[in-house]
Amino acid sequence: MAANSSTGSATEPPGLETQWREIDNLNQQQLRSGDSWYLLDKRWYDQWKEYVHTGDQNSSSYPGKIDNTELYEDLDSYHLKERLTENEDFVLVPAEAWHKLLSWYDMMDDQPPLERKVVDLPSTVKVEVYPVEVYLCLSSNLESTVSARFSRADKIHAIHQKIRQHFNVSETAESRLWMRSTDTSSERLRNLNMTVLDTCLSSGMTVIMEIRNADGTWPTSRPQIMRNSADEDSYQGPPGVCGLTNLGNTCFMNSALQCLSNTPPLTEYFLKNSYLEELNFTNPLGMKGEIAEAYADVIKQMWSGRHYSVVPRVFKTKVGHFASQFLGYQQHDSQELLSFLLDGLHEDLNRVKKKEYIELRDADGRPDQEVAEEAWHNHLRRNDSVIVDTFHGLFKSTLVCPECNKVSVTFDPFCYLSVPLPVSKERVMEVFYVSLDPTAKPTQYRLIVPKAGRVIDLCAALSQATGIPPNQMAVADVFNHRFYRIYQTDEFLSCILDRDDIFVKYSWIKQKLCLSCVMIVSLHRRYVRPLDPSEEVEEEEDEEELYKAQTNGVSDGMTLFFILKETNTFILQGCIKSIKSDCEAMLQKIPISNKSCGSTDTNSQDATDVDQSAGAEPSGKEEEDEDEDEEEEEPASCAQANKRLPGRRHYTERRKKALFTMQAVNSNGTTERGMGEADGSFSFSSQPYIAIDWDPDMKKKYYNENEAEKYIKHQSMDVPHQQTTVQLQECIELFTTVETLEEENPWYCPTCKKHQLATKILDLWSLPEVLIIHLKRFSYTKYSREKLDTIVEFPLRDLDFSGFLLKKTVNSTEPPCRYDLIAVSNHYGGLRDGHYTSYARNKDNGQWYYFDDSKVTYAREEQIVTSAAYLLFYQRQDKIRHPTIPPPIPSSTQPENHISSQTRDGMDGAASCVSMETD
């Protein structure tokens, strides 16, 4: 039975199998423009799936009320967190599925539903998780703004009406709209029937309404609306040394653009307007020249020398038009953006207007030179552009069938090299260990475990540090102040993410006393100040009110080992056996009134007796005994927490005020579900959790909360994590190593007439003028998903590829194989978030700069090689032009917050200024 909310809106749900079938069927619906879908916290949804799949209504995996707390930035504005990822942070369910779940489980009090609309965008239909949030104001008062959210499919007319309504502008007043960002001049919104997407209106911008003056003039003659700041108008700086404004999680795009901007042959091609003669408007694989034109506009602004920073808003919108994965403002991969952009520029600038069909031939034993020349010639018959001229090379692919030994050789073009990094077979994990020693604080350990290991391996590693046998440890994931998951020893460690809070407990149980009960007692005993008899507080309480106070549930604020600041409740898990007598023995050492649990009986009895007698009506004799017992300080039994029942008789008793009350609850901390007995008593077998509700005043007076939240760092935490260092040449060697195809990607053998897991080897045949090397830092295996922070040491000059080229005969007409570095795209952070920046060498003055969105700083060469390096741009030495302009001297006279010298030493200088930043 689902827990009822305070509003009583939850209804009796169907059986668990029916629940799953109904929701799963509804989730198969196709997206239709205008429909509503809802966001659900991923962990809550996973907990619900686990619950319905158990087939047990009393399962401890019962999810409780729908709780989207983790999706909100705060619980005051209920503003959605930035950078949330579908199927990692949240899931989307259609409206009908949402309403069913809401009727069965209810929702946490005061939380608004996260409804989002399906929008029909140029290349896709999708749920718009993050609508455009803009500021609205009148030209007469630019300081008074109000924020509002609009769908990208909304028309500007909707914004126009919103401003009229909020600022009480008469419908008869003649008005017009302008849109303005913080870094560029205002633009007129002339067509009210255009969509928000088509006008390139993005989050953070301001829409200004002007109202015509009585004399017929418009207020926009004033410069503060129409023009940039005076500093921007008068600025003159080095061409190309220009930042790019972050439009909202667009650092991935800015980083890639800065690298391409500092690729000399491509930039000069656009600055000289060579692209105008080669725009291909008819290529069905292209984008009608729009990507090339938008890119050209950005490059020209960046190299004009007239801007501190350029807003690539139009370019961002064009990318979203043609690549739906980049719509919106979530974080993406700079390599994926670069791949799309190079392909899009190529097709928009392809000199081949009509591509002919070419049948590919296998080598069939022919000499490599012949096959390679044929492959490159065929490639140019269909693909001929500045991108091919600059970035395309050729590699040889050799496949060997494991059954018939058929050898297939092909030569294929490439635009960049994605090279693997040596993957460590070990993993560093940080866990908190909690012992039964009441004088010992929880201790944080840093452990080295097998990357493909299991939970038992984690316990074994911790055992070496603690001396506790691995089979006497319990491993739990604590999330949102509750047990999110208890791990079995045979589960893979890959299911534990680096961001999870993992607690390991010593689980040896003496005299059938469950671990969690000991934690109620032993661990927290030292945090409670002994009661002074002179401080004891007496209270009068009606029995029915007392019952209500004890069984109101503890659904908000639960934790494994600590009492939270924002709540007076914590919850612990355990298989409750003879809990009454065992807890009494432990509670003897804590000065708690015998009325803590509302008990009128101090006789010792086992859990079964408690369940059977929980509904018994107190007799008059018992009431007299209570009065006598008030003077004694006997311990309260947590098994007596639910002894009192309402409705039998109303009477008032005087009793000492308790520190806390204890009761059995389910995994969500509620008591409405699984009552177990017809008379309303609780069954500990179906309610395997104990909740302790502290009295707020007593907790403040007697409980040392600051002390309870402390923990100790083991010396292993002081040992810095040693980063692995490899040479770039090692990564290239791995790229050319023989590998066996994966089962998901077999090769069809023309001889065997079936798919085979062939062996494959890639060899480099010819290299382009500008070689892009993609370091594959993001590792995805069946065991784990991680980002590799390996330091790859790459040369800034004289990268020699002659040893890697299969084509050994180099004559005087062939280009050399030595390269110099010209740009680097960096990624700081982990899998789900992070920040992109870039280093680049200016083609005119030879100076290195560090680009961090709109901020630009000077950089030294020794700062460039870091563990954040992600994309490397190398130019062939014979094509590098020596600077014609001497590099500037870093000076304090440069514009503030624009170009400044980095004063930190070594690579830490750049890393430290951004490593804690996220978009």
Side-chain angles (χ1 to χ4, degrees):
M1 181 183 300
N4 296 321
S5 70
S6 57
T7 60
S9 59
T11 61
E12 185 73 20
L16 300 185
E17 183 179 351
T18 302
Q19 289 186 43
W20 168 250
R21 184 172 60 254
E22 289 186 11
I23 299 301
D24 186 52
N25 288 338
L26 290 172
N27 284 342
Q28 307 306 317
Q29 291 182 15
Q30 297 296 315
L31 297 180
R32 295 181 304 179
S33 180
D35 284 356
S36 291
W37 285 61
Y38 290 78
L39 276 70
L40 269 176
D41 179 86
K42 177 67 160 51
R43 292 209 179 193
W44 185 94
Y45 188 71
D46 287 346
Q47 190 81 7
W48 172 78
K49 288 199 298 184
E50 180 181 344
Y51 169 61
V52 295
H53 286 150
T54 63
D56 180 9
Q57 291 278 3
N58 290 321
S59 169
S60 61
S61 60
Y62 175 72
K65 294 181 180 180
I66 296 173
D67 187 357
N68 286 332
T69 300
E70 292 300 313
L71 302 183
Y72 298 115
E73 195 70 46
D74 59 74
L75 297 182
D76 295 325
S77 65
Y78 287 106
H79 193 278
L80 202 63
K81 286 180 180 177
E82 297 294 335
R83 303 182 304 278
L84 294 177
T85 304
E86 186 178 359
N87 294 324
E88 286 192 20
D89 301 299
F90 66 88
V91 295
L92 289 165
V93 297
E96 189 176 352
W98 161 259
H99 291 301
K100 283 181 179 291
L101 290 171
L102 183 63
S103 68
W104 298 337
Y105 295 91
D106 203 358
M107 192 172 189
M108 296 297 290
D109 294 342
D110 301 324
Q111 284 193 11
L114 290 171
E115 180 183 8
R116 293 295 186 266
K117 293 291 186 180
V118 178
V119 294
D120 190 359
L121 298 173
S123 57
T124 186
V125 177
K126 65 180 297 182
V127 178
E128 191 175 38
V129 175
Y130 290 97
V132 175
E133 185 170 2
V134 297
Y135 299 96
L136 311 177
C137 67
L138 298 178
S139 62
S140 58
N141 187 357
L142 299 178
E143 301 301 320
S144 178
T145 63
V146 59
S147 63
R149 297 179 183 178
F150 299 93
S151 167
R152 290 166 182 78
D154 285 342
K155 294 186 177 180
I156 300 301
H157 178 74
I159 301 180
H160 189 266
Q161 289 300 110
K162 184 73 172 181
I163 299 179
R164 282 190 181 274
Q165 295 169 6
H166 184 81
F167 293 101
N168 296 319
V169 177
S170 171
E171 291 290 340
T172 60
E174 189 175 353
S175 61
R176 61 183 185 181
L177 300 181
W178 299 83
M179 64 177 182
R180 185 181 68 177
S181 69
T182 57
D183 297 285
T184 188
S185 60
S186 299
E187 298 177 38
R188 173 83 180 276
L189 292 172
R190 300 179 181 276
N191 188 348
L192 298 186
N193 289 318
M194 290 183 68
T195 65
V196 170
L197 179 66
D198 290 334
T199 57
C200 302
L201 188 62
S202 58
S203 293
M205 297 182 66
T206 302
V207 178
I208 305 168
M209 174 179 280
E210 291 186 279
I211 303 173
R212 188 189 285 273
N213 298 326
D215 61 0
T217 61
W218 292 97
T220 49
S221 57
R222 302 173 188 171
Q224 69 266 26
I225 294 181
M226 291 301 298
R227 303 181 62 194
N228 295 328
S229 65
D231 288 341
E232 181 79 6
D233 287 341
S234 60
Y235 174 73
Q236 187 66 38
V241 184
C242 175
L244 290 169
T245 300
N246 192 316
L247 302 174
N249 289 329
T250 57
C251 62
F252 73 96
M253 180 184 77
N254 294 346
S255 176
L257 284 176
Q258 290 289 7
C259 291
L260 284 180
S261 170
N262 286 278
T263 300
L266 185 64
T267 293
E268 291 171 359
Y269 172 85
F270 281 98
L271 293 181
K272 293 177 181 178
N273 290 327
S274 300
Y275 73 99
L276 293 175
E277 298 178 0
E278 297 184 343
L279 284 171
N280 191 331
F281 300 104
T282 61
N283 186 355
L285 299 179
M287 297 153 199
K288 301 178 182 178
E290 293 184 30
I291 286 293
E293 289 181 322
Y295 178 80
D297 182 61
V298 172
I299 293 300
K300 289 179 178 179
Q301 291 184 63
M302 294 175 68
W303 286 84
S304 68
R306 296 195 300 270
H307 302 287
Y308 298 138
S309 180
V310 170
V311 184
R313 183 165 37 82
V314 175
F315 175 81
K316 165 69 171 63
T317 303
K318 294 296 183 183
V319 169
H321 266 290
F322 296 102
S324 61
Q325 66 268 32
F326 298 115
L327 277 171
Y329 295 88
Q330 295 187 24
Q331 184 67 278
H332 293 281
D333 190 326
S334 65
Q335 187 271 333
E336 292 179 0
L337 185 279
L338 178 68
S339 177
F340 160 78
L341 181 55
L342 290 176
D343 185 64
L345 289 175
H346 161 65
E347 297 295 358
D348 269 4
L349 299 168
N350 199 340
R351 302 172 186 121
V352 178
K353 304 304 180 183
K354 185 176 181 180
K355 295 187 178 184
E356 58 181 305
Y357 173 76
I358 299 175
E359 186 174 351
L360 300 178
R361 297 173 56 196
D362 195 77
D364 288 333
R366 292 181 293 160
D368 285 350
Q369 183 73 29
E370 177 186 340
V371 180
E373 290 178 356
E374 178 184 84
W376 186 250
H377 175 70
N378 289 338
H379 180 59
L380 294 180
R381 288 165 64 186
R382 293 174 57 86
N383 304 279
D384 184 15
S385 71
V386 66
I387 302 300
V388 175
D389 298 341
T390 307
F391 298 102
H392 283 205
L394 200 66
F395 60 67
K396 176 185 177 182
S397 175
T398 305
L399 291 166
V400 179
C401 177
E403 186 172 321
C404 68
N405 294 323
K406 161 69 177 177
V407 177
S408 174
V409 175
T410 58
F411 285 81
D412 303 298
F414 67 86
C415 193
Y416 52 85
L417 295 180
S418 289
V419 299
L421 274 61
V423 179
S424 172
K425 296 182 179 180
E426 295 179 334
R427 174 185 178 186
V428 176
M429 296 186 68
E430 296 178 1
V431 301
F432 293 91
Y433 172 70
V434 182
S435 73
L436 294 184
D437 182 357
T439 64
K441 292 184 175 70
T443 305
Q444 187 181 26
Y445 288 84
R446 179 174 288 159
L447 307 172
I448 297 178
V449 297
K451 184 172 295 184
R454 301 176 186 265
V455 172
I456 189 62
D457 297 310
L458 173 65
C459 296
L462 184 58
S463 175
Q464 293 184 3
T466 63
I468 303 301
N471 60 356
Q472 294 180 9
M473 294 181 181
V475 182
D477 177 5
V478 179
F479 173 74
N480 199 19
H481 320 313
R482 72 183 66 183
F483 284 129
Y484 174 67
R485 184 173 180 181
I486 306 297
Y487 292 102
Q488 302 300 317
T489 57
D490 62 346
E491 292 187 77
F492 284 103
L493 289 174
S494 58
C495 63
I496 301 178
L497 304 181
D498 289 336
R499 67 176 184 269
D500 292 341
D501 293 323
I502 302 300
F503 287 81
V504 182
K505 310 175 296 183
Y506 178 32
S507 62
W508 177 71
I509 302 174
K510 184 178 181 180
Q511 296 179 350
K512 298 183 179 180
L513 181 61
C514 69
L515 167 67
S516 295
C517 295
V518 177
M519 305 297 299
I520 290 168
V521 186
S522 296
L523 183 63
H524 288 275
R525 185 195 313 157
R526 59 189 173 87
Y527 304 139
V528 181
R529 179 170 66 85
L531 284 93
D532 187 329
S534 64
E535 296 178 316
E536 290 183 351
V537 180
E538 292 187 348
E539 62 179 357
E540 290 188 1
E541 193 166 7
D542 180 84
E543 182 181 20
E544 183 170 4
E545 294 303 315
L546 177 62
Y547 170 81
K548 291 179 179 179
Q550 293 167 353
T551 58
N552 59 358
V554 289
S555 58
D556 48 322
M558 292 171 284
T559 183
L560 183 58
F561 305 121
F562 304 103
I563 298 179
L564 302 181
K565 292 182 180 179
E566 61 268 23
T567 182
N568 295 316
T569 299
F570 65 90
I571 186 170
L572 304 110
Q573 182 188 32
C575 50
I576 302 172
K577 301 291 187 182
S578 53
I579 186 171
K580 176 180 180 294
S581 58
D582 291 332
C583 282
E584 279 186 345
M586 295 299 297
L587 286 167
Q588 291 279 4
K589 301 178 183 180
I590 297 185
I592 304 175
S593 166
N594 67 326
K595 305 304 181 190
S596 307
C597 298
S599 173
T600 61
D601 184 5
T602 58
N603 293 331
S604 178
Q605 52 189 338
D606 61 25
T608 304
D609 293 335
V610 172
D611 288 346
Q612 293 173 348
S613 63
E617 182 177 347
S619 65
K621 178 65 170 61
E622 288 172 331
E623 294 177 34
E624 294 175 4
D625 292 342
E626 277 186 311
D627 294 335
E628 296 175 0
D629 291 342
E630 283 180 354
E631 299 178 2
E632 299 181 9
E633 288 295 331
E634 295 185 13
S637 168
C638 58
Q640 296 168 322
N642 303 296
K643 291 273 289 187
R644 297 184 177 271
L645 295 173
R648 298 298 181 92
R649 175 168 58 244
H650 295 276
Y651 67 94
T652 301
E653 65 170 9
R654 296 186 63 82
R655 68 189 198 106
K656 291 187 177 72
K657 195 170 185 179
L659 290 181
F660 52 74
T661 58
M662 306 172 72
Q663 63 179 318
V665 293
N666 58 40
S667 63
N668 198 49
T670 58
T671 59
E672 292 84 356
R673 193 181 65 87
M675 301 293 282
E677 306 296 336
D679 60 3
S681 62
F682 291 99
S683 168
F684 287 120
S685 61
S686 63
Q687 301 268 96
Y689 293 78
I690 289 293
I692 294 183
D693 289 293
W694 275 82
D695 178 276
D697 296 330
M698 301 299 279
K699 176 188 171 187
K700 183 177 181 181
K701 191 172 184 179
Y702 294 107
Y703 190 84
N704 190 335
E705 189 169 2
N706 292 330
E707 185 68 18
E709 294 184 347
K710 293 180 180 178
Y711 63 92
I712 298 173
K713 286 191 174 183
H714 185 259
Q715 61 185 11
S716 61
M717 296 296 298
D718 298 328
V719 179
H721 177 46
Q722 296 295 326
Q723 287 183 306
T724 305
T725 301
V726 300
Q727 301 296 318
L728 176 61
Q729 288 82 347
E730 296 179 56
C731 301
I732 299 173
E733 288 175 359
L734 281 176
F735 176 79
T736 57
T737 300
V738 177
E739 64 176 350
T740 302
L741 297 179
E742 297 179 350
E743 294 181 1
E744 298 80 11
N745 188 31
W747 170 66
Y748 183 79
C749 176
T751 303
C752 298
K753 305 297 182 182
K754 62 180 179 180
H755 289 89
Q756 299 280 15
L757 299 182
T759 58
K760 178 181 181 180
I761 185 171
L762 293 177
D763 292 295
L764 297 175
W765 182 262
S766 63
L767 299 177
E769 175 184 344
V770 176
L771 177 63
I772 303 174
I773 301 177
H774 166 220
L775 302 178
K776 297 173 68 174
R777 292 197 176 276
F778 299 101
S779 172
Y780 301 94
T781 69
K782 63 181 179 180
Y783 297 112
S784 64
R785 298 176 66 235
E786 62 177 334
K787 182 197 172 185
L788 305 176
D789 61 355
T790 304
I791 295 178
V792 178
E793 293 188 344
F794 48 89
L796 273 64
R797 297 179 183 85
D798 295 324
L799 175 59
D800 188 359
F801 267 91
S802 58
F804 296 103
L805 281 178
L806 188 65
K807 184 180 180 181
K808 299 298 184 183
T809 55
V810 179
N811 54 48
S812 59
T813 63
E814 294 174 337
C817 302
R818 291 185 179 273
Y819 288 79
D820 287 352
L821 188 73
I822 57 173
V824 180
S825 173
N826 305 301
H827 178 270
Y828 299 90
L831 282 173
R832 301 173 62 241
D833 54 14
H835 186 61
Y836 286 94
T837 65
S838 56
Y839 288 104
R841 177 183 179 274
N842 187 276
K843 68 181 181 63
D844 292 340
N845 59 36
Q847 170 68 44
W848 280 93
Y849 295 92
Y850 181 68
F851 298 90
D852 184 0
D853 287 332
S854 57
K855 181 181 178 182
V856 183
T857 54
Y858 289 104
R860 300 190 302 274
E861 290 188 352
E862 60 266 26
Q863 295 174 297
I864 296 171
V865 180
T866 73
S867 61
Y870 185 47
L871 297 171
L872 309 177
F873 286 66
Y874 281 94
Q875 186 175 14
R876 211 168 61 217
Q877 285 183 343
D878 66 312
K879 293 292 185 178
I880 294 179
R881 186 182 64 191
H882 294 290
T884 56
I885 302 174
I889 300 175
S891 168
S892 58
T893 61
Q894 297 291 347
E896 185 179 1
N897 294 328
H898 183 57
I899 305 177
S900 61
S901 61
Q902 293 188 5
T903 58
R904 301 179 179 85
D905 293 331
M907 68 179 182
D908 291 336
S912 60
C913 68
V914 295
S915 61
M916 299 304 294
E917 297 182 20
T918 56
D919 285 338

